[in-house]
Amino acid sequence: MIRTGLSALLLLGTWAAAGLAPAAAAPSPASEAPASTGLLTAMQKDLGLTESQAKARLAAEKTATAVESKAKRAAGASYGGSWFNPDSGTLTVTVTSAQKADAVRATGATVQLVKHSAQQLDAAKERIDALSAPAGVSSWHVDPKANRVVVNVVAAQKSDNDVRDFLDRARQAGPVTVKETAQAPQTFAAGTVGGDPYYTGNVRCSIGFSVHGGFVTAGHCGQAGASVSGWDGSYIGNFQGSSFPDNDYAWVNVGSGWWTAPVVLGWGSVSDQLVRGSNEAPIGASICRSGSTTHWRCGNLLAKNETVNYSQGAVHQMTKTSVCAEGGDSGGSFISGDQAQGVTSGGWGNCSGGGETWYQPINEILGRYGLTLHTA
């Protein structure tokens, strides 16, 4: 059964993710269809929800996603960031000007006043991006709740002189908060294992999302021109573009009898998921991932626009989640509801003890290569 599912997945050349512009308009009327039993089951298992709670959360997240774009426009330059609260089912939007509060509140959002705008915090993060980070610094991102840039440091290396020096320089760039993390992030590629999605050389990775003419995946899985084969060893295509580090995305053309479809594989444990667009989910939303090693897993969206400091170099504009992953899951799909979100890059931990995983947003990839997401 699993082998059959893999064959179907690769022949369809599919997976899911979400993002911003080139692929997505508003969801089609078909996206109003109820959530699949498989998705609800996965959310119950990984998020500790009942079926009714999972349904209610998906509905609230869909509303929050629509509210977020309206609230940003209403806040203008006063916008300080936003996040979804799963307990209340509401979207909180921060603003620096009390004069904008009523307009933002009218969109359906809860409003908080803060000192720093999102533009100011993003500018501070960009100044930190220009610094050279030591291995003991794992990542950094703008945290709308804290209204500061959060720099994550590996706990065992927090006293390292290079780490201290980096933090001193980071604090000069703008408002910074330091947090500790258990481990340093790493990419999730793996050595060749029979019966898994696709290979380039001796590296196994996972298909992300179908686009017209191919599929997107992680850049660290292969360089431009590298040949790609499926689980059965047959030729699929070649990496047409690839970027890593700085970014972690790539796309592969599909031919030789392979084709694409707007589907994310459920691996027999959940129903295969249709991809209907790439509207970006807010911080705090639930999110699920499909990959060739640990299959279907769910968690929460923790942070956006985070710079991740891998041993190979920093990767920018990543999204952090509480979803676990392991070697071979790289390149696989992140999806929220029926909206594609991004392709798996790396993280720390595993699916036995837990951890965190980052993905590269899908809309950035589509825009970079001029691709169009294949949607149902």
Side-chain angles (χ1 to χ4, degrees):
M1 283 300 288
I2 292 178
R3 183 74 173 227
T4 302
L6 278 172
S7 175
L9 165 66
L10 291 174
L11 288 171
L12 296 175
T14 142
W15 301 82
L20 283 165
S28 66
S31 66
E32 300 296 331
S36 71
T37 300
L39 175 59
L40 295 174
T41 300
M43 291 180 69
Q44 292 173 68
K45 174 180 178 292
D46 291 337
L47 298 176
L49 304 174
T50 65
E51 181 178 354
S52 61
Q53 287 172 333
K55 289 180 178 178
R57 179 160 176 177
L58 287 172
E61 289 173 354
K62 185 173 183 178
T63 299
T65 298
V67 168
E68 187 175 42
S69 60
K70 297 176 183 177
K72 284 183 179 179
R73 290 194 295 270
S78 176
Y79 178 72
S82 55
W83 65 91
F84 175 76
N85 185 329
D87 294 328
S88 64
T90 58
L91 183 78
T92 298
V93 176
T94 62
V95 294
T96 59
S97 170
Q99 295 177 341
K100 293 288 188 178
D102 287 342
V104 173
R105 197 173 289 113
T107 68
T110 299
V111 179
Q112 288 185 10
L113 286 174
V114 293
K115 181 178 180 179
H116 307 289
S117 70
Q119 290 178 339
Q120 292 172 324
L121 294 174
D122 287 342
K125 180 185 173 292
E126 288 180 5
R127 289 190 286 270
I128 298 174
D129 284 343
L131 303 177
S132 178
V137 177
S138 64
S139 64
W140 52 95
H141 69 277
V142 171
D143 183 347
K145 287 186 180 181
N147 197 228
R148 303 175 75 85
V149 178
V150 173
V151 178
N152 296 293
V153 174
V154 179
Q157 300 182 54
K158 63 181 180 180
S159 298
D160 180 82
N161 288 336
D162 290 339
V163 170
R164 289 181 172 181
D165 180 64
F166 179 87
L167 293 177
D168 287 341
R169 289 180 290 150
R171 291 186 179 100
Q172 295 173 15
V176 163
T177 293
V178 179
K179 292 186 178 180
E180 294 181 8
T181 186
Q183 300 177 36
Q186 60 184 2
T187 55
F188 285 127
T192 300
V193 177
D196 286 298
Y198 81 86
Y199 305 92
T200 177
N202 67 341
V203 172
R204 169 171 60 86
C205 281
S206 300
I207 292 173
F209 291 93
S210 283
V211 296
H212 291 287
F215 65 83
V216 295
T217 186
H220 70 264
C221 291
Q223 298 181 346
S227 177
V228 173
S229 59
W231 66 268
D232 59 353
S234 66
Y235 172 75
I236 297 176
N238 295 80
F239 278 83
Q240 299 299 302
S242 179
S243 178
F244 180 79
D246 188 28
N247 306 293
D248 194 5
Y249 50 59
W251 82 280
V252 175
N253 70 310
V254 168
S256 302
W258 299 74
W259 64 90
T260 66
V263 176
V264 172
L265 187 69
W267 293 91
S269 58
V270 301
S271 301
D272 294 348
Q273 304 294 304
L274 289 176
V275 180
R276 300 190 186 278
S278 61
N279 292 320
E280 186 178 353
I283 293 172
S286 63
I287 193 164
C288 297
R289 179 190 58 72
S290 184
S292 62
T293 299
T294 58
H295 301 169
W296 186 268
R297 304 283 176 159
C298 296
N300 297 306
L301 198 156
L302 301 178
K304 297 183 180 182
N305 191 23
E306 183 154 18
T307 299
V308 181
N309 190 35
Y310 294 128
S311 61
Q312 299 95 328
V315 177
H316 304 92
Q317 296 178 316
M318 301 270 269
T319 300
K320 179 165 65 177
T321 77
S322 64
V323 187
C324 68
E326 297 180 8
D329 287 327
S330 279
S333 1
F334 267 92
I335 187 167
S336 180
D338 57 13
Q339 299 295 304
Q341 299 297 307
V343 300
T344 303
S345 174
W348 62 268
N350 54 49
C351 289
S352 298
E356 294 177 335
T357 300
W358 286 267
Y359 65 80
Q360 188 92 65
I362 182 68
N363 287 325
E364 180 185 359
I365 307 171
L366 300 175
R368 168 63 180 83
Y369 295 117
L371 302 170
T372 300
L373 186 66
H374 193 165
T375 58

